[in-house]
């Protein structure tokens, strides 16, 4: 569930994950639904395309992988692009639900003595649950902290505070047909600002000041989105695609963390 939350926060669909990470749609569907433990490289790729530091995720992934191995399971680690097995039983295996002739009943040992196999299994399940909870807590913390991780240094943080105050002075955004906004782009501490928003992570889709900010920065960089009206329409989408193509980014027309990095300079 936590990996799905990270995926949703990035705004990427299964098709986008397949194209950007090299792992198939069916593989990501199993990983995100908790049906299979993702391989280490898949975790690294998801962190990369989501703009999240992967180090802590990989540490917790090792804990989860150890839990899987202890309880006798194996991680589903197909090579990039491979789809999952069809789920058919291996040739020569016994039919599901049937026991070999003469075998002892489930949960008991020969001679009628209770089996102790359930104890290690319970411990392994507990370890797996604890690892999943720890991983989820870390992901939530990273998602909350991500927008601020570059703003802790004195000069940069002060610049963003000033621009944030300027953006908030505009009040709640209300779209007015035909209304456009001026774009007085300035650079402070190596970043460009138009005075409407300080975000570097927002994924744009709805009208708002973040869109006005992006439109002003697009125009400043020579990619005309039309009027800076705060609406993420076709002209803005085309301008974003041209910027992404020039910057070597996937040309999906969506402004996310990587596109903001180019816009801010």
């Amino acid at each position: 569930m936590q990996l799905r939350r990270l995926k949703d926060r990035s705004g990427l669909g299964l098709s986008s994950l397949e194209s950007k990470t090299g792992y198939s749609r069916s593989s990501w569907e199993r990983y995100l639904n908790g049906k299979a433990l993702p391989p280490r490289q898949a975790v690294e790729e998801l962190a990369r395309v989501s703009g999240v530091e992967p180090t802590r995720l990989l540490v917790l992934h090792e804990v989860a992988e150890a839990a899987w191995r202890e309880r006798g399971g194996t991680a589903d680690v197909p090579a990039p692009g491979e789809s999952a097995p069809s789920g058919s039983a291996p040739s020569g295996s016994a039919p599901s639900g049937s026991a070999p002739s003469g075998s002892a009943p489930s949960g008991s040992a020969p001679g009628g003595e209770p089996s102790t196999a359930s104890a290690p299994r319970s411990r392994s399940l507990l370890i797996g649950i604890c690892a999943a909870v720890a991983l989820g807590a870390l992901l939530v913390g990273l998602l909350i902290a991500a927008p601020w991780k570059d703003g802790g240094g004195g000069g940069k943080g002060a610049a963003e505070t000033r621009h944030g105050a300027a953006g908030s002075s505009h009040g709640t955004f209300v779209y007015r047909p035909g209304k456009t906004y001026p774009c007085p782009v300035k650079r402070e501490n190596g970043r460009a600002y138009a005075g409407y928003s300080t975000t570097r992570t927002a994924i744009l889709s709805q009208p708002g000041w973040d869109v006005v900010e992006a439109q002003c920065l697009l125009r400043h960089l020579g990619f005309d989105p039309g009027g800076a009206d705060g609406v993420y329409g076709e002209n803005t989408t085309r301008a974003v695609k041209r910027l992404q193509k020039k910057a070597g980014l996937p040309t999906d027309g969506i402004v996310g963390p990587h596109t903001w990095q180019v816009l801010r300079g």
Side-chain angles (χ1 to χ4, degrees):
M1 182 178 70
Q2 298 303 329
L3 288 179
R4 175 174 288 277
R5 186 175 299 174
L6 179 59
K7 187 272 292 184
D8 292 341
R9 176 66 177 81
S10 71
L12 299 174
L14 294 177
S15 297
S16 296
L17 285 177
E18 181 178 23
S19 64
K20 294 183 178 183
T21 67
Y23 288 83
S24 67
R25 286 173 55 95
S26 59
S27 295
W28 278 116
E29 185 176 4
R30 292 196 304 278
Y31 304 154
L32 297 174
N33 290 330
K35 297 179 180 178
L37 179 69
R40 178 186 177 92
Q41 186 178 355
V43 175
E44 290 178 338
E45 290 298 310
L46 180 59
R48 178 182 62 80
V49 300
S50 301
V52 172
E53 170 60 41
T55 304
R56 295 182 181 177
L57 296 180
L58 294 176
V59 171
L60 288 176
H61 176 268
E62 292 179 1
V63 175
E65 186 176 24
W68 274 63
R69 290 175 178 172
E70 185 173 343
R71 68 182 178 183
T74 56
D76 184 9
V77 288
E82 288 187 353
S83 59
S86 62
S88 60
S91 176
S93 62
S96 175
S98 65
S101 175
S103 62
S106 175
S108 65
E113 297 180 0
S115 173
T116 59
S118 60
R121 190 175 305 142
S122 299
R123 288 196 297 270
S124 299
L125 180 59
L126 180 60
I127 293 174
I129 293 174
C130 292
V133 171
L135 178 60
L138 177 61
L139 287 175
V140 172
L142 289 172
L143 290 177
I144 294 174
W148 309 104
K149 64 182 181 180
D150 293 333
K156 296 180 181 178
E160 293 196 2
T161 299
R162 290 194 297 273
H163 285 285
S168 63
S169 66
H170 293 285
T172 302
F173 180 84
V174 178
Y175 171 67
R176 296 181 177 86
K179 170 69 174 178
T180 59
Y181 299 90
C183 295
V185 177
K186 298 179 180 179
R187 297 190 67 85
E188 289 193 32
N189 296 297
R191 292 195 177 97
Y193 298 93
Y196 298 100
S197 171
T198 61
T199 183
R200 300 200 304 275
T201 59
I203 298 174
L204 304 185
S205 60
Q206 301 298 323
W209 294 120
D210 290 343
V211 177
V212 177
E213 180 81 6
Q215 290 170 330
C216 286
L217 296 179
L218 283 166
R219 177 177 295 174
H220 178 70
L221 293 173
F223 302 93
D224 186 12
D229 57 3
V231 176
Y232 204 87
E234 292 183 2
N235 290 337
T236 301
T237 300
R238 285 195 291 267
V240 170
K241 287 183 176 180
R242 293 196 299 270
L243 172 72
Q244 290 171 332
K245 183 177 180 180
K246 183 176 180 180
L249 298 174
T251 55
D252 54 11
I254 300 173
V255 174
H258 298 294
T259 303
W260 275 116
Q261 185 176 0
V262 178
L263 286 172
R264 294 292 185 197

